[in-house]
Amino acid sequence: MPLHQQVTCNYEARRRGLHKLQLISEARKIVPDVVIVLGEELGRFRDASKLLYKFLASFSWNGKVERLGFDEVWMDVTDLVDYNRALLNPHDMTNSFFQLKQDDPTVGFFYNATGIAGHFFPDQPHPPILDLKDDLMTRLMLGSHLAQHIRVSLEQDQGYTSTVGISTNKILSKLVGNVFKPRDQTTLLPPYVSVNKASPTPSDKAERQSNISLFLDSHDIGKLPGIGFKMSQRVRDHILSRPAEFEIGLIYGGTKESVTVRDVRLFPGMGPELLEKILGGPGTERGIGAKAWNIINGIDDTEVQQARKVPSQISIEDSYIRLDTMPEVLKELRMLATSLLKRMHSDLLEDDDDPDSVGSKRWLAHPKTLRLSTRPRPPPNTDGTTTRSFNRISRSGPLPNFIFNLKDNTDATVEKLVQVALIPMFRRLHPQQSGWNLSLVNIAVTNLVETASDDGKGGGRDIGKMFRRQETILKEWKIEDRDVPPDPVLSVENNPGDVANGTSTMVGYEYPTVAEGNSLVVRSEDILPQTQNSVVSGSWDEDEDGDEDTEMCGVCKASMPVFAMAAHQRYHDLEG
DNA sequence: CGGGGAGAG
DNA sequence: CATTCTCTCCCCG
């Protein structure tokens, strides 16, 4: 019964013929000496991810460095490329110098600007010859050399190999990065637009089809970023004009029911309107037809996001074979809450650089909402068949302020959180005292409100600093329920034509090997010392606690002092 | 804003 | 077509 699959495997395993989501029995047959690791330890990956992200971001001028998952990053390097294009000397291209810092002409690397660095698509017998009048080609050439330099630095300085794609938007750079991997890079060559065949000049005679379509056409429709399982199935159904041929036996890779981008693009009547009919409907994204049509044509004007200081949510979850009694649930809630609190400390707490409070920590952001989600396992049907509803249900509510208090020890805070918040939420989710069986429990903090940062640029010792910080923190908590206009935002208007015209350059990165055996060991940032909070936060913690003198019992609705609640809840637990 | 769906690694 | 554990963006009421 317990047919166990491995979830993922590293590149070495893949080289030897294994793949994701494979049966372990099957894997052992192919690679008898395969090492199976049970469970996962995401902490080290998270640390490595942060480190490498910072390293990559250090190359950026405009801060447009966006993470996707733990191991992929987009960089919009348009500004570096533009700057260095202006530096090119047409009379000596082979000894070009790529300047990495705007304010220091000595920092950078030498490169040969007469050609593309690394691989390119389409592969051709002779490397493309650079024409400085070809704007796009020149930019992609510069991007390819920057990518090469960053990959080499990443490997030499950090000990990580990486794979890169270079093109003009996020979709294309991500997809073209898959062409040569691992430890390689690929540039999607021009032309990116089809030449008008109505009046072909002698020079653009034969071959001038857009390399974008040439590249995308062979992809399965579901491989395009933004077109996932549900959407690709709907498109497939329509193209094949029959109900979804079940993809049983199609565990991975090659599709026999393959519908490619080309099949979709050239389907009679295909366009944004038809796609809207296929994909649209209540609950679906507005304008999904146009969006999908753009993806199919490699058009993507979404910006590479600036680095965000804090995530928009932090969640911890675990899955279970069987979880159907209250004492077990309590135990798990405590475990999860402990992990969550740790994560909040490592991700949301930073050293307070205020010279008056050395060694203390301050919150980068305050989550306002706590959410509890579960995935109930549906009871077997009367006829023995299994209905699968793998979906989650959730309840959320305000996150109690005491969790920001760093003076109490973790166990006490966790216990309080479980008793006053998580158990009541659990009762809202599962009012029945028994009969449920959970396959997953997740707790999350969301609605993160960033703490106004004073980066100290106003000068070192400022007597008003502490006071002003107190002001901003208090303001943050005062506005809770009021309709206050948002802070003014400096909106920099950029030229949307840049992306559409293919004048920006994106580099998508992937560092695939967080290898255990790497020579360079990546160490985590380690445990936070149990320090006192700063004077300011300490004081408002106390104030906020005052609001919680009484609590209402989630079960019997009785109101009572908060210190009595834990015992009261245990009473219910025993009773139920 | 609460709850859920879809898609990403 | 999810198995795992996250995370983001989006829609509806």
Side-chain angles (χ1 to χ4, degrees):
Chain A
M1 185 279 170
L3 57 134
H4 270 44
Q5 286 176 340
Q6 46 128 337
V7 172
T8 191
C9 57
N10 61 22
Y11 276 86
E12 173 60 15
R14 286 178 206 194
R15 198 179 60 74
R16 295 180 56 178
L18 303 192
H19 52 82
K20 290 190 290 191
L21 308 178
Q22 194 169 35
L23 288 175
I24 287 176
S25 53
E26 197 184 319
R28 282 198 207 281
K29 267 184 228 159
I30 301 167
V31 182
D33 57 321
V34 64
V35 177
I36 306 287
V37 178
L38 294 180
E40 71 292 307
E41 206 222 307
L42 292 177
R44 296 174 61 213
F45 280 93
R46 213 184 328 266
D47 292 342
S49 176
K50 265 190 210 163
L51 186 81
L52 297 182
Y53 176 83
K54 269 187 195 168
F55 180 78
L56 294 177
S58 72
F59 286 92
S60 177
W61 293 357
N62 56 20
K64 292 181 189 173
V65 184
E66 179 180 348
R67 236 149 68 96
L68 181 60
F70 280 173
D71 65 351
E72 286 184 42
V73 171
W74 280 291
M75 302 177 70
D76 181 336
V77 294
T78 306
D79 47 2
L80 278 91
V81 162
D82 274 348
Y83 189 92
N84 282 279
R85 190 178 59 137
L87 260 42
L88 285 174
N89 176 359
H91 306 297
D92 187 14
M93 296 285 280
T94 54
N95 297 303
S96 300
F97 186 76
F98 198 111
Q99 200 173 311
L100 288 170
K101 301 285 175 197
Q102 246 172 318
D103 52 7
D104 188 347
T106 67
V107 178
F109 58 92
F110 287 96
Y111 68 108
N112 181 346
T114 60
I116 299 275
H119 295 279
F120 35 83
F121 180 96
D123 209 355
Q124 47 197 56
H126 302 294
I129 293 154
L130 185 78
D131 174 5
L132 276 178
K133 289 197 290 292
D134 186 339
D135 189 74
L136 177 56
M137 182 63 138
T138 305
R139 287 162 185 270
L140 291 170
M141 177 275 294
L142 284 152
S144 74
H145 285 281
L146 176 58
Q148 178 99 349
H149 174 78
I150 294 180
R151 284 203 309 114
V152 169
S153 317
L154 201 49
E155 203 162 336
Q156 289 182 348
D157 300 356
Q158 310 290 330
Y160 288 88
T161 62
S162 59
T163 304
V164 183
I166 301 103
S167 188
T168 51
N169 66 40
K170 295 206 290 181
I171 290 178
L172 292 175
S173 61
K174 177 171 166 58
L175 286 175
V176 82
N178 294 331
V179 175
F180 288 95
K181 65 192 318 192
R183 199 176 184 252
D184 225 320
Q185 70 178 64
T186 313
T187 302
L188 182 58
L189 293 181
Y192 280 11
V193 284
S194 303
V195 170
N196 179 12
K197 302 287 188 192
S199 55
T201 66
S203 64
D204 58 34
K205 258 173 94 177
E207 81 296 2
R208 311 311 299 242
Q209 195 215 349
S210 170
N211 278 344
I212 293 181
S213 289
L214 185 65
F215 173 59
L216 292 182
D217 269 358
S218 62
H219 286 76
D220 187 281
I221 186 64
K223 289 283 192 296
L224 302 193
I227 301 186
F229 180 79
K230 302 273 182 177
M231 276 169 63
S232 61
Q233 273 299 59
R234 287 167 81 149
V235 172
R236 266 192 273 269
D237 291 355
H238 196 267
I239 301 296
L240 300 170
S241 65
R242 64 178 133 82
E245 189 76 14
F246 281 113
E247 297 189 76
I248 310 266
L250 201 183
I251 313 289
Y252 71 101
T255 342
K256 59 175 189 177
E257 284 277 73
S258 146
V259 171
T260 65
V261 170
R262 175 163 225 273
D263 297 332
V264 179
R265 193 168 60 81
L266 300 180
F267 191 81
M270 187 51 67
E273 301 82 7
L274 179 51
L275 281 169
E276 184 68 38
K277 285 199 189 92
I278 296 170
L279 301 171
T284 60
E285 195 176 332
R286 275 184 303 263
I288 188 63
K291 189 179 162 189
W293 181 244
N294 279 342
I295 293 174
I296 284 166
N297 287 281
I299 298 168
D300 174 15
D301 58 8
T302 61
E303 287 279 323
V304 174
Q305 297 295 118
Q306 298 259 346
R308 254 178 304 192
K309 223 171 176 192
V310 294
S312 66
Q313 80 168 223
I314 298 174
S315 74
I316 300 286
E317 70 187 35
D318 212 340
S319 50
Y320 309 92
I321 306 288
R322 204 189 80 217
L323 185 61
D324 55 3
T325 70
M326 208 48 208
E328 289 176 308
V329 166
L330 266 170
K331 186 163 143 259
E332 294 307 323
L333 287 178
R334 277 191 274 262
M335 298 249 311
L336 293 169
T338 304
S339 305
L340 185 65
L341 202 58
K342 275 200 187 114
R343 277 290 305 283
M344 285 179 62
H345 285 173
S346 66
D347 291 10
L348 302 182
L349 226 39
E350 77 168 6
D351 288 324
D352 195 334
D353 56 359
D354 191 326
D356 297 331
S357 49
V358 180
S360 66
K361 304 275 182 183
R362 66 183 219 100
W363 291 97
L364 288 167
H366 291 94
K368 288 197 305 190
T369 307
L370 178 68
R371 185 182 64 216
L372 174 68
S373 311
T374 63
R375 188 176 58 194
R377 203 187 303 280
N381 292 348
T382 42
D383 58 358
T385 58
T386 48
T387 327
R388 67 219 169 4
S389 118
F390 280 103
N391 292 334
R392 297 139 100 106
I393 53 178
S394 69
R395 294 293 179 269
S396 46
L399 179 66
N401 289 309
F402 61 75
I403 71 149
F404 300 121
N405 188 338
L406 300 171
K407 283 175 288 192
D408 297 342
N409 77 40
T410 303
D411 285 350
T413 308
V414 162
E415 190 56 29
K416 207 163 154 191
L417 188 69
V418 168
Q419 296 297 338
V420 308
L422 290 171
I423 290 177
M425 275 179 183
F426 187 87
R427 301 266 184 224
R428 280 207 283 147
L429 266 177
H430 301 284
Q432 323 84 320
Q433 67 285 61
S434 68
W436 33 260
N437 179 9
L438 310 178
S439 61
L440 176 142
V441 177
N442 172 301
I443 60 179
V445 287
T446 66
N447 251 322
L448 273 70
V449 177
E450 268 194 64
T451 311
S453 76
D454 43 5
D455 51 12
K457 276 188 180 150
R461 202 156 300 147
D462 183 347
I463 44 169
K465 183 178 178 181
M466 198 173 71
F467 188 72
R468 274 188 276 109
R469 179 179 301 165
Q470 184 167 25
E471 278 282 280
T472 57
I473 290 171
L474 289 176
K475 187 175 82 188
E476 195 175 299
W477 288 96
K478 280 184 208 152
I479 63 173
E480 262 177 353
D481 285 323
R482 295 219 311 271
D483 199 11
V484 174
D487 287 338
V489 175
L490 223 188
S491 169
V492 179
E493 184 73 20
N494 56 18
N495 180 0
D498 270 5
V499 174
N501 292 332
T503 53
S504 72
T505 304
M506 311 278 180
V507 187
Y509 281 90
E510 188 179 357
Y511 28 90
T513 49
V514 182
E516 319 257 335
N518 253 335
S519 54
L520 200 144
V521 178
V522 181
R523 306 229 45 215
S524 72
E525 287 164 348
D526 282 335
I527 317 300
L528 299 161
Q530 293 275 350
T531 53
Q532 301 281 307
N533 207 340
S534 72
V535 174
V536 174
S537 40
S539 66
W540 59 259
D541 264 348
E542 305 283 298
D543 290 347
E544 292 297 317
D545 269 353
D547 282 332
E548 305 191 333
D549 278 344
T550 65
E551 287 279 334
M552 190 178 68
C553 171
V555 180
C556 67
K557 310 297 180 203
S559 197
M560 69 197 69
V562 70
F563 63 79
M565 185 57 78
H568 178 83
Q569 289 288 345
R570 279 193 290 277
Y571 158 75
H572 278 303
D573 292 337
L574 291 171
E575 182 191 50

